[in-house]
Amino acid sequence: MDATHRMVCRDDLFNPLTSMGLQLSCILVISHFFHLVLKALGQPGPIAQIFAGMVLGPSALSNFKPIKGFFFQTTAADFYQVFGLFCRIIFMFLIGLETDVPYVMRNIRAASIIAYGGVFLGFVFGLGCSFFLQHQLEVDDHFKSPYVFSLMLILAYTASPVVIRLAGELKFDTSDVGRLAIASSLIAEMTCLLLFNFMLACHSRNLFKYGFYCFFLSVLVMVINKYLSNWFNKRNHTQKYLKNTEVFIILSFVIGSAMFMEWANYNSIMNCFVIGLMFPREGKTARTLLHKLTYSVHNFILPIYFGYIGFQFNGIFLNNWGNVLIVLILVLLSIGSKIGGTLAACRYLKIPLNEGVLIGFVMNLKGHADILFIGSASKLLIVWSPKAYNLFLISIVLNTLISGPVVAFLLRKEERLFGNMRTALEIHDPGEELRLLACVFGPRQVSPILGIISGLSGSQTAPTTPYLMHLIELLQKCRTKVSYHEKEQNELSDDEDYGGNDVIGIHEAVDTFTAETKIFIHVGKAVSAFASLYEDVCNIAEDMRVSIILLPFHKHQRIDGKMDNGKEGIRTTNHKVLRHAPCSVGIIVNRGTEGVPGFSQLLGSESIQQVATLFFGGPDDREAVAWSRRIAAHPRVNLTVIRFQPASLLSSSSVHNSHTDNASDEDDGMLMALSRLETGNGRNEVDNSFLTDFYNRYVTSGQVGYVEKSVNNATETVAALRGIGDMYSLFIVGKGGRGHSPLTTGICDWEECPELGTVGDLLASSDININGSVLIIQQHRQLKKDLMGD
């Protein structure tokens, strides 16, 4: 008898776990199959995962009794709910941690207007149709108020996890329209959850009291996380990442607070999101959490969660035209409210119609907390009939299945429109956000790169979003007779995580930079052979929609001032990036004297840095000036634009520098000098127009200095450069594109590195003594062709 009892207990304990594990495995396998099929049709991963769940659910395979008996056991529902709860806790915390808070704060007005446009119209539509659908959905009059409110919330709701995942799959999450849609979805979701929790709090006095406890607990966890993060950052100073036990401690506080809210009959989604949102972003703690959670959430938790949404889809309830009509009404009301409200908001914000339609369908993605509105979270307010629950669930799934492919179709149709339009700074509004990708191969190159990032981020009104990519050469593994357990600890870490101890040095430099400047840098890595490393750089730049790529020079300066060769693979990568880059590229040559490398002084000193931009003419030099106007906004930078012109032209002009007594004569003289410069192929007109605008905007206001140098040939150009070599901590110059200019033709006789151009190669060589670093700029090739064509 005891043996039989133990067997029954074992079956009750393990059968639901076994079935759940097998079900999750089947969802992952089938969703991968659907993803391979639907990806060819341009459909994102969440759609494939929902389809996989539908295949396993009661609408397909679970119609067979053996399969149904295995998956739908009497005790399985509790296991599924607990598993779903832990999934929601983890990925909502991660979503909060990944949220671009500065962008949301800058665009809070536009995102709120779009979010509340759809929410308001959803409330209106829900209230209007609730009386008609009440009888059809078999809702008792006793639950009339909760039913009406729940229907309004369902129509107004947007599932931010689905939006974020879809945007990431379709690669428009870094575009302006994608980021705005994600911010709007978060605002809409949090608003609906806040209203839902408020409705629960009003249900009874005890719940209202517990609401204060939940609020206090959430604030307490945020404070604890702040101190834990700082402590763990200092404690693990010499480690790449936090230990697993430390990660477990942080997640325990998050899970504990969420479990308390669920015990108090509140929804914990908002709590987890806000805790992640308020978590300190600096240091190893946040970096470790992102490293540990991102892979598991994106590859396991979210696919399973979306699959389980489809698994609950029960098409049996569509067995009559009445139910089909109800589902059709719910779907049309949801699409109509989101499209209508979003288009009205976009019209008010002067957002183009095609972008408004795309955002409207994105905002119609559902399948997260709205399922809880009709599920266990609403059990205190209303008891849903099986018919009402399943018809609501079917409409939620269909909304996502309809909106997802429509969004994919619109993006394919308007691929060029939603692509990266800011591929160079010459056409970039100086007041807009600047997105840049900086690449390093080791800790030695971090300091000059961070100096340039700091200079470009100096403006108080123009935000900068920098990304730092650690490029790691993929080496062929050597055979060893040493067993895995006999390896030293540092060997294990190098084997498990590419980059070795360089990672620690890079992270430490970035963390120090962030602490001093309050500029947050997104750090990542790319591991590949040197032959294909450039592809990773170009792909990441395209995905991140950056305007500029910063690369380190393959040479480094010795103590005696001479330039020493580094890895040839670095030079090869730079060559290929310059050839294939989807945006403008800059190469930083780190030079200096007395142990202080050039422009890197901007990070460790309060002294004013003198920066010179050399202008000979052409698209690359115009791009160099465009970079300079961002650096000139830094409060500790004095910028001077030095224009090299033939002596004959300069002598006939009244302009010699920017400090002429008569401003009107100065401007007229400068325009005369510009008009006489002959470079051919229409470059003269473009250069004149660009420099005139720059002069009127920056030089006349005193923000930038302007000097003209009189030279006749390349020899005099070299002499002039030697004369100013010790005056500036940074020289900015274009790579080329000047045609056969007499001012630079002949310098190439000493050319060692063609990727730097004639002037850049001279400044980077050991043949010339300069005290400053050199930044060589190449404008995006396609833009260069377009401007030359014009």
Side-chain angles (χ1 to χ4, degrees):
M1 184 68 179
D2 292 339
T4 305
H5 179 70
R6 286 196 298 270
M7 185 177 297
V8 171
C9 291
R10 181 187 296 179
D11 290 342
D12 288 342
L13 178 63
F14 286 101
N15 273 349
L17 289 176
T18 304
S19 63
M20 184 175 69
L22 184 59
Q23 176 190 342
L24 301 182
S25 302
C26 291
I27 287 176
L28 287 175
V29 173
I30 298 176
S31 65
H32 184 64
F33 170 76
F34 273 106
H35 186 51
L36 291 176
V37 175
L38 296 178
K39 188 177 181 180
L41 303 176
Q43 299 307 309
I47 303 302
Q49 290 144 15
I50 292 175
F51 270 122
M54 293 173 64
V55 169
L56 284 177
S59 300
L61 293 180
S62 290
N63 271 323
F64 299 100
K65 288 185 178 181
I67 298 178
K68 183 178 181 181
F70 184 78
F71 282 144
F72 291 89
Q73 299 178 33
T74 55
T75 55
D78 294 334
F79 286 89
Y80 294 147
Q81 288 183 9
V82 172
F83 179 78
L85 171 63
F86 280 99
C87 287
R88 290 195 299 273
I89 291 173
I90 297 300
F91 70 65
M92 286 309 299
F93 173 73
L94 179 63
I95 287 174
L97 194 61
E98 291 180 327
T99 299
D100 189 350
V101 179
Y103 175 84
V104 174
M105 297 305 298
R106 291 195 306 268
N107 297 274
I108 188 69
R109 176 178 173 271
S112 299
I113 291 174
I114 291 174
Y116 291 135
V119 168
F120 174 76
L121 209 57
F123 281 168
V124 173
F125 284 11
L127 181 64
C129 72
S130 60
F131 304 102
F132 167 74
L133 293 177
Q134 180 181 356
H135 177 71
Q136 306 296 329
L137 293 172
E138 302 174 358
V139 178
D140 193 276
D141 288 338
H142 180 68
F143 301 119
K144 185 174 182 179
S145 296
Y147 150 74
V148 173
F149 196 75
S150 297
L151 178 58
M152 293 165 62
L153 285 178
I154 291 171
L155 294 181
Y157 177 78
T158 299
S160 64
V162 185
V163 172
I164 293 171
R165 183 65 174 171
L166 188 83
E169 287 273 347
L170 297 176
K171 296 186 176 182
F172 73 102
D173 54 332
T174 55
S175 66
D176 290 339
V177 63
R179 298 165 79 191
L180 185 59
I182 290 173
S184 301
S185 69
L186 288 170
I187 293 173
E189 180 174 43
M190 294 304 131
T191 300
C192 291
L193 286 169
L194 182 63
L195 293 174
F196 182 73
N197 282 335
F198 180 77
M199 184 172 64
L200 289 173
C202 295
H203 182 68
S204 69
R205 185 172 298 177
N206 285 336
L207 281 178
F208 200 78
K209 179 180 66 175
Y210 284 137
F212 284 103
Y213 295 158
C214 293
F215 177 78
F216 175 77
L217 181 61
S218 299
V219 174
L220 180 63
V221 171
M222 294 176 202
V223 174
I224 292 174
N225 281 343
K226 180 179 180 180
Y227 284 99
L228 277 178
S229 175
N230 293 332
W231 183 50
F232 287 153
N233 288 340
K234 296 176 183 178
R235 187 169 181 262
N236 296 274
H237 184 67
T238 59
Q239 302 295 323
K240 296 179 185 178
Y241 299 107
L242 266 61
K243 299 175 182 176
N244 290 334
T245 53
E246 295 167 337
V247 175
F248 177 76
I249 291 172
I250 294 175
L251 293 181
S252 296
F253 283 107
V254 179
I255 295 173
S257 64
M259 295 295 289
F260 179 81
M261 288 195 69
E262 295 290 337
W263 173 82
N265 290 311
Y266 283 101
N267 190 284
S268 62
I269 292 177
M270 178 183 290
N271 167 71
C272 299
F273 171 76
V274 174
I275 290 176
L277 192 70
M278 301 302 295
F279 197 91
R281 301 298 203 277
E282 303 84 7
K284 290 181 173 63
T285 305
R287 192 180 299 119
T288 302
L289 289 171
L290 289 171
H291 175 74
K292 299 283 187 182
L293 297 179
T294 299
Y295 181 82
S296 57
V297 167
H298 288 182
N299 291 279
F300 295 101
I301 293 179
L302 282 180
I304 290 172
Y305 192 82
F306 293 144
Y308 185 62
I309 293 172
F311 183 78
Q312 299 176 79
F313 185 96
N314 193 346
I316 298 175
F317 282 86
L318 297 177
N319 55 359
N320 62 71
W321 287 107
N323 291 350
V324 173
L325 180 62
I326 293 173
V327 171
L328 183 62
I329 291 173
L330 290 173
V331 171
L332 291 178
L333 287 174
S334 179
I335 295 175
S337 64
K338 289 300 181 183
I339 297 295
T342 301
L343 287 180
C346 290
R347 181 178 177 84
Y348 173 75
L349 296 170
K350 295 183 170 67
I351 295 176
L353 178 63
N354 52 357
E355 294 184 11
V357 172
L358 178 68
I359 296 175
F361 277 104
V362 169
M363 296 294 289
N364 192 49
L365 293 169
K366 301 182 184 297
H368 184 214
D370 43 358
I371 296 178
L372 301 178
F373 296 159
I374 58 173
S376 58
S378 62
K379 59 186 178 183
L380 293 179
L381 303 175
I382 185 173
V383 178
W384 296 99
S385 65
K387 176 182 177 180
Y389 173 81
N390 282 281
L391 292 183
F392 273 127
L393 183 62
I394 290 171
S395 68
I396 289 170
V397 174
L398 288 179
N399 269 304
T400 300
L401 291 179
I402 292 172
S403 298
V406 170
V407 170
F409 171 77
L410 291 175
L411 287 172
R412 287 200 311 274
K413 183 180 178 182
E414 305 283 354
E415 183 176 0
R416 181 176 177 82
L417 180 64
F418 294 116
N420 185 17
M421 306 301 292
R422 303 183 185 95
T423 56
L425 291 194
E426 181 181 347
I427 59 172
H428 197 289
D429 187 345
E432 293 181 341
E433 178 191 26
L434 172 64
R435 300 168 68 87
L436 65 94
L437 174 66
C439 301
V440 296
F441 292 87
R444 172 185 289 169
Q445 301 153 349
V446 175
S447 181
I449 289 287
L450 292 181
I452 299 298
I453 292 176
S454 178
L456 290 169
S457 306
S459 174
Q460 300 296 323
T461 57
T464 303
T465 303
Y467 298 87
L468 182 70
M469 189 61 55
H470 182 197
L471 305 181
I472 304 170
E473 180 187 7
L474 180 62
L475 299 173
Q476 185 176 2
K477 294 296 179 181
C478 299
R479 293 184 179 273
T480 177
K481 295 181 179 180
V482 180
S483 301
Y484 183 85
H485 66 277
E486 295 177 316
K487 291 184 178 181
E488 298 294 334
Q489 183 63 33
N490 61 338
E491 291 178 332
L492 285 173
S493 64
D494 285 351
D495 231 19
E496 294 290 330
D497 195 4
Y498 286 101
N501 293 326
D502 286 354
V503 176
I504 300 175
I506 293 172
H507 286 178
E508 185 177 351
V510 171
D511 293 341
T512 303
F513 173 80
T514 301
E516 292 179 355
T517 63
K518 307 303 178 185
I519 300 171
F520 179 72
I521 298 179
H522 306 265
V523 182
K525 68 179 179 181
V527 183
S528 183
F530 275 134
S532 58
L533 197 55
Y534 78 97
E535 295 179 358
D536 294 331
V537 176
C538 295
N539 290 336
I540 292 169
E542 192 169 4
D543 291 343
M544 294 295 105
R545 288 175 167 80
V546 300
S547 299
I548 55 178
I549 298 175
L550 278 175
L551 297 172
F553 191 43
H554 68 281
K555 294 183 179 181
H556 58 271
Q557 189 176 33
R558 300 186 315 211
I559 298 177
D560 60 1
K562 300 295 184 180
M563 299 299 291
D564 204 4
N565 285 323
K567 289 186 177 181
E568 187 64 25
I570 299 178
R571 184 180 186 182
T572 302
T573 300
N574 289 350
H575 270 285
K576 293 182 177 180
V577 171
L578 287 168
R579 192 178 305 121
H580 300 283
C583 60
S584 293
V585 181
I587 297 180
I588 178 70
V589 182
N590 193 30
R591 302 196 64 181
T593 57
E594 299 178 0
V596 182
F599 197 62
S600 301
Q601 299 176 75
L602 187 66
L603 301 179
S605 172
E606 293 297 324
S607 61
I608 300 298
Q609 300 298 305
Q610 303 294 332
V611 178
T613 300
L614 312 179
F615 190 92
F616 295 88
D620 290 345
D621 281 346
R622 292 197 303 272
E623 186 71 6
V625 173
W627 283 50
S628 304
R629 66 189 179 194
R630 297 284 303 207
I631 295 178
H634 197 285
R636 290 195 287 113
V637 169
N638 275 347
L639 173 68
T640 302
V641 176
I642 303 176
R643 180 165 178 78
F644 288 80
Q645 295 193 97
S648 57
L649 177 62
L650 189 60
S651 62
S652 64
S653 172
S654 61
V655 180
H656 294 278
N657 55 54
S658 62
H659 305 290
T660 308
D661 293 336
N662 191 323
S664 178
D665 292 343
E666 174 190 354
D667 295 341
D668 293 342
M670 187 203 71
L671 293 176
M672 187 185 302
L674 289 174
S675 64
R676 294 182 181 181
L677 183 64
E678 296 181 0
T679 56
N681 297 327
R683 293 193 185 98
N684 183 30
E685 295 180 4
V686 179
D687 286 344
N688 285 351
S689 176
F690 178 79
L691 271 184
T692 301
D693 179 70
F694 178 84
Y695 190 93
N696 293 332
R697 188 168 182 176
Y698 298 98
V699 179
T700 57
S701 63
Q703 299 179 53
V704 177
Y706 179 83
V707 176
E708 290 185 342
K709 289 285 184 181
S710 170
V711 291
N712 287 312
N713 50 48
T715 303
E716 294 185 8
T717 300
V718 173
L721 292 176
R722 292 184 189 275
I724 62 174
D726 59 349
M727 298 172 58
Y728 301 97
S729 61
L730 177 67
F731 294 89
I732 306 175
V733 64
K735 176 189 172 186
R738 308 179 184 97
H740 297 287
S741 172
L743 307 184
T744 57
T745 301
I747 296 180
C748 58
D749 293 343
W750 301 284
E751 192 172 39
E752 296 179 12
C753 303
E755 68 271 20
L756 302 183
T758 52
V759 179
D761 178 66
L762 174 66
L763 294 174
S765 69
S766 302
D767 297 328
I768 184 170
N769 252 339
I770 62 173
N771 292 341
S773 300
V774 185
L775 179 61
I776 296 93
I777 308 299
Q778 175 186 277
Q779 190 177 72
H780 182 223
R781 288 192 165 198
Q782 186 58 47
L783 176 66
K784 192 186 300 185
K785 293 177 182 177
D786 293 342
L787 292 176
M788 290 175 64
D790 293 339

